[in-house]
Amino acid sequence: MSLTTRLSSRLSSRAAERAAARAADAVGDRTVISASERRRPGIRVGLTLTHVFLAVGLVVAGLGPILWLAKSAVTPTQDTLQQPFALWPNGIDWANLETAWNDIHIDQYFLNTVVIALGAWFVQLFVATTAGYALSVLRPRYAPILNALVLATLFIPGIVLLVPLYLTIVNPPLPGDVNLLNNYLAVWLPMGANAFNILLVKRFFDSLPREVFEAARTDGAGPFWLFWSIVLPMSKPILGVVSVFAIIAAWKDYLWPMLVLPDPAVQPLSVRLPAVQSQTELDVFLAALAIATLIPIAMFLLFQSVFLRSAGLGGAVKG
């Protein structure tokens, strides 16, 4: 074979490889920048700088306010007013945390908030899982009608239901002269009627393999045993998501607890902190706000993997 023939064959093979690479990029990478373009030095450097800029921006926007609040919680008031972004120009005042905890009775309101959040979490999780189980797994004949009614409640603004819901709490349909004001049930029960959580859990239950349910029924499992021993162990991801939503919503709710819990002794932090703001020093108030953010941050750190973990079948299927 002559030299010219070998060169032509080599060039044709390289051209075929480039054509195949372009075809693979066109088929496999449906993105703004293809894989071949990413290999170019200029584009690679530009993408790296863009990613660094976005990461820094997200950190500043997300963690910046939290870090500033943590810094201001142990900073004297004058330093916060005169040099709000300086790192403790006149030292750290750890007494702010103690004063906020004891003098403002943050400990009492903190406990009230924990009780409200835990009760709301239990009620929402109980209603969402049982309702989602009934609509998705048991599937009675009227399940489509119930599903449509639950979905319709999402289109009703919450402010529209405020007055009738308050009147129901003041005069509930119970025997005797019962009033649920200053009772945590007045906060827990309305939070349980959360259509979004019900539909979220139902959609997750719809994705579970029906073969497992049929096998359990064949082995003699009843509805309760199927729910407790099969469905719930397979639903840990969605239970974690609903738990985070429920606790965060209860922790930050302001309007409804203020209406149904007029007694300061049973009010949560979200209601008491705005009430005592005008009578409290700025540094002590910021320390109280910092304490109030501890549980949401802890919840995020505890359940952050739940949002990334795919739904598994651990605990329900052996082997």
Side-chain angles (χ1 to χ4, degrees):
M1 183 181 294
S2 63
L3 178 62
T4 305
T5 305
R6 287 198 300 268
L7 289 176
S8 61
S9 63
R10 188 173 300 175
L11 290 175
S12 61
S13 63
R14 290 180 178 177
E17 291 176 358
R18 288 195 295 268
R22 286 195 297 269
D25 290 341
V27 174
D29 291 336
R30 301 294 183 179
T31 59
V32 177
I33 302 176
S34 64
S36 60
E37 291 176 334
R38 290 176 188 272
R39 291 191 286 268
R40 298 178 184 176
I43 294 180
R44 187 164 59 247
V45 172
L47 284 177
T48 302
L49 294 177
T50 302
H51 292 163
V52 171
F53 174 77
L54 291 176
V56 173
L58 289 174
V59 169
V60 172
L63 291 180
I66 298 176
L67 295 177
W68 184 88
L69 179 61
K71 187 270 299 183
S72 301
V74 291
T75 302
T77 300
Q78 294 303 319
D79 291 348
T80 302
L81 295 176
Q82 296 174 1
Q83 300 176 355
F85 295 104
L87 289 177
W88 306 292
N90 295 310
I92 299 177
D93 189 3
W94 295 105
N96 292 343
L97 298 174
E98 182 180 359
T99 303
W101 187 265
N102 296 323
D103 295 354
I104 308 182
H105 302 293
I106 291 296
D107 54 346
Q108 176 185 351
Y109 306 136
F110 191 89
L111 179 61
N112 294 343
T113 309
V114 170
V115 172
I116 291 175
L118 290 179
W121 164 77
F122 175 78
V123 173
Q124 290 191 50
L125 204 63
F126 177 79
V127 174
T129 53
T130 53
Y133 175 72
L135 295 176
S136 176
V137 180
L138 298 182
R139 292 183 179 178
R141 294 182 179 179
Y142 47 85
I145 299 176
L146 292 178
N147 189 44
L149 293 176
V150 172
L151 181 62
T153 60
L154 291 176
F155 299 93
I156 302 176
I159 195 67
V160 175
L161 303 175
L162 197 62
V163 173
L165 190 58
Y166 180 80
L167 295 178
T168 303
I169 293 299
V170 173
N171 189 18
L174 297 174
D177 189 10
V178 180
N179 191 321
L180 293 182
L181 289 180
N182 292 319
N183 191 319
Y184 289 139
L185 289 175
V187 180
W188 295 340
L189 296 180
M191 285 187 173
N194 191 312
F196 176 78
N197 287 341
I198 294 175
L199 296 177
L200 191 67
V201 174
K202 176 188 176 299
R203 290 295 299 271
F204 184 88
F205 287 173
D206 289 339
S207 66
L208 297 179
R210 301 292 152 175
E211 295 81 5
V212 178
F213 302 155
E214 296 300 330
R217 291 191 179 100
T218 303
D219 292 340
F224 178 78
W225 192 88
L226 179 65
F227 172 73
W228 184 257
S229 300
I230 303 296
V231 175
L232 289 186
M234 298 170 66
S235 306
K236 291 179 181 179
I238 196 63
L239 297 182
V241 172
V242 173
S243 298
V244 172
F245 288 163
I247 292 179
I248 296 300
W251 197 268
K252 69 179 182 179
D253 194 14
Y254 169 75
L255 180 58
W256 183 247
M258 182 187 66
L259 292 176
V260 298
L261 301 175
D263 186 2
V266 296
Q267 289 179 345
L269 285 170
S270 60
V271 177
R272 288 307 301 162
L273 287 181
V276 302
Q277 179 180 6
S278 60
Q279 304 152 0
T280 309
E281 287 289 336
L282 179 61
D283 54 354
V284 177
F285 181 71
L286 292 176
L289 290 179
I291 295 174
T293 60
L294 290 178
I295 292 297
I297 294 175
M299 287 293 300
F300 169 76
L301 296 177
L302 185 62
F303 289 100
Q304 60 177 334
S305 61
V306 172
F307 295 99
L308 304 177
R309 188 187 313 143
S310 59
L313 302 181
V317 182
K318 296 182 180 179

